[in-house]
Amino acid sequence: MSHLLLPGAISSRQDLVMSFFATAEHEKERLQYFASPEGRDDLYQYNQKERRTVLEVLEDFPSVQMPFEWFVQLAPPLKNRAFSISSSPLAHPTQVHLTVDVVSWTTPFKRKRQGLCSTWLASLDPEQSIYIPVWFHKGLLPPPPPSLPLIVIGPGTGCAPFRGFVEERAVQSQSGTIAPTLLFFGCRNENNDFLYRDFWFSHSENDGVLSEAKGGGFYAAFSRDQPQKVYVQHKMQEQSERIWNLLCEGAAIYVAGSSTKMPSDVMVAFEEIISKESGAPRESAVRWLRSLEKAGKYHVEAWS
């Protein structure tokens, strides 16, 4: 019954239900206040910002004597977790690799919080077998053919699908030619957050998928390792000529990662690069990118 312990914000409706079972008058009044329009802001401060669980709310209101069947109905069920597949079926026919960021944060009142699913996955012993129910959902990034030049941008866990792309091309290169791949990765600190460091480096050498010998390249931005923040779009600007040359060869663009500012910042970087390298006005660069989108050659998969 672990689904009852899911961290989740309690709604005003749930507070109202709890008030019916409160035996202490001051607790009943407080819960009813939270459930009222007047108490909405205080409920947000108490609950949503702190992400209190149902059990924690019950601990704060000990006079609430709720029957177990009501508790079960009140507790939110576990939500599905979606993770990007970071492996190629060609390289690992019987395996599926996932890239999971272990979620942890501190609330405004200094409570330590951890993601339920990611923390549990991180606690598992890789030497032991365990069955986990999973499902497969088609993503927004179609697998590219080996003949298609690629420019991929995947900061943080956004690099996950592109690890699969590189694995796929590494297998394909054994029996045929592959087009160049430029990969831009970003994270906060090189020593703490550099996902798949050895993997990228190994494929950047000895005629690997990302090697210069194959027309490729791997570029990493570490935003917090120097006084001035450096992001993937800055590394893109440094390689503007190579990006422009690949675009002229018909390259497709793939972007994956956080849905905050990153996708729009990357789009702006492409606009600036196209305008700079082609000598065309910015409006022409915008139209170029829109034509790529319409042609199915500018793909974005972003999440919050």
Side-chain angles (χ1 to χ4, degrees):
M1 314 246 339
S2 59
H3 64 284
L4 299 176
L5 306 181
L6 174 72
I10 306 302
S11 67
S12 58
R13 180 188 66 83
Q14 292 167 317
D15 279 325
L16 185 61
V17 171
M18 287 185 182
S19 71
F20 287 120
F21 298 103
T23 56
E25 193 61 32
H26 69 284
E27 292 185 6
K28 181 185 291 288
E29 291 176 357
R30 188 64 174 170
L31 288 167
Q32 289 175 342
Y33 169 71
F34 279 154
S36 70
E38 296 79 13
R40 186 173 302 158
D41 290 342
D42 287 334
L43 173 63
Y44 176 79
Q45 292 293 329
Y46 166 76
N47 189 33
Q48 267 82 349
K49 287 187 72 173
E50 285 296 296
R51 301 283 295 171
R52 281 182 168 87
T53 66
V54 175
L55 289 179
E56 288 173 332
V57 174
L58 289 174
E59 288 173 355
D60 287 346
F61 294 88
S63 78
V64 175
Q65 302 297 315
M66 184 183 298
F68 182 72
E69 56 270 22
W70 279 86
F71 174 71
V72 172
Q73 293 183 45
L74 201 63
L78 267 178
K79 294 180 181 178
N80 295 334
R81 264 65 170 182
F83 300 110
S84 294
I85 294 176
S86 53
S87 59
S88 161
L90 282 182
H92 307 281
T94 62
Q95 298 178 4
V96 173
H97 299 181
L98 302 178
T99 302
V100 181
D101 183 20
V102 180
V103 180
S104 62
W105 73 99
T106 303
T107 71
F109 292 128
K110 307 303 179 184
R111 291 172 180 245
K112 299 292 185 180
R113 295 296 193 199
Q114 292 181 317
L116 182 65
C117 184
S118 61
T119 301
W120 178 75
L121 287 172
S123 71
L124 298 178
D125 184 352
E127 299 299 323
Q128 295 182 347
S129 297
I130 185 169
Y131 290 98
I132 303 172
V134 298
W135 76 104
F136 292 91
H137 178 72
K138 187 176 181 180
L140 300 176
L141 304 178
S147 59
L148 180 65
L150 295 180
I151 303 168
V152 300
I153 298 91
T157 54
C159 72
F162 306 134
R163 179 177 181 266
F165 283 14
V166 171
E167 284 190 336
E168 187 101 347
R169 292 204 158 184
V171 175
Q172 292 167 340
S173 68
Q174 296 172 8
S175 57
T177 58
I178 57 171
T181 302
L182 296 183
L183 194 152
F184 295 87
F185 170 79
C187 63
R188 287 174 176 262
N189 306 109
E190 181 176 5
N191 293 331
N192 299 327
D193 312 305
F194 197 170
L195 299 176
Y196 304 120
R197 178 207 310 255
D198 294 341
F199 176 85
W200 305 127
F201 286 163
S202 68
H203 285 282
S204 300
E205 302 168 348
N206 303 323
D207 292 337
V209 173
L210 301 175
S211 67
E212 289 192 12
K214 294 288 188 181
F218 173 74
Y219 309 98
F222 308 110
S223 61
R224 302 299 195 273
D225 280 353
Q226 60 283 311
Q228 186 174 1
K229 294 178 181 177
V230 177
Y231 297 112
V232 286
Q233 59 266 30
H234 300 123
K235 292 297 180 179
M236 292 170 59
Q237 296 283 7
E238 293 175 5
Q239 302 299 323
S240 61
E241 184 177 355
R242 297 199 68 192
I243 288 175
W244 172 243
N245 289 338
L246 271 191
L247 287 174
C248 291
E249 294 174 16
I253 296 170
Y254 285 75
V255 183
S258 170
S259 62
T260 51
K261 291 183 60 181
M262 187 275 295
S264 60
D265 287 344
V266 166
M267 176 70 83
V268 168
F270 274 117
E271 292 173 3
E272 294 173 348
I273 288 169
I274 293 170
S275 179
K276 170 189 170 184
E277 297 296 334
S278 68
R282 185 73 171 266
E283 294 76 14
S284 297
V286 172
R287 287 195 294 271
W288 173 297
L289 290 169
R290 285 178 180 169
S291 68
L292 283 182
E293 290 177 326
K294 291 179 180 179
K297 298 181 77 173
Y298 194 114
H299 307 279
V300 178
E301 185 167 83
W303 52 85
S304 57

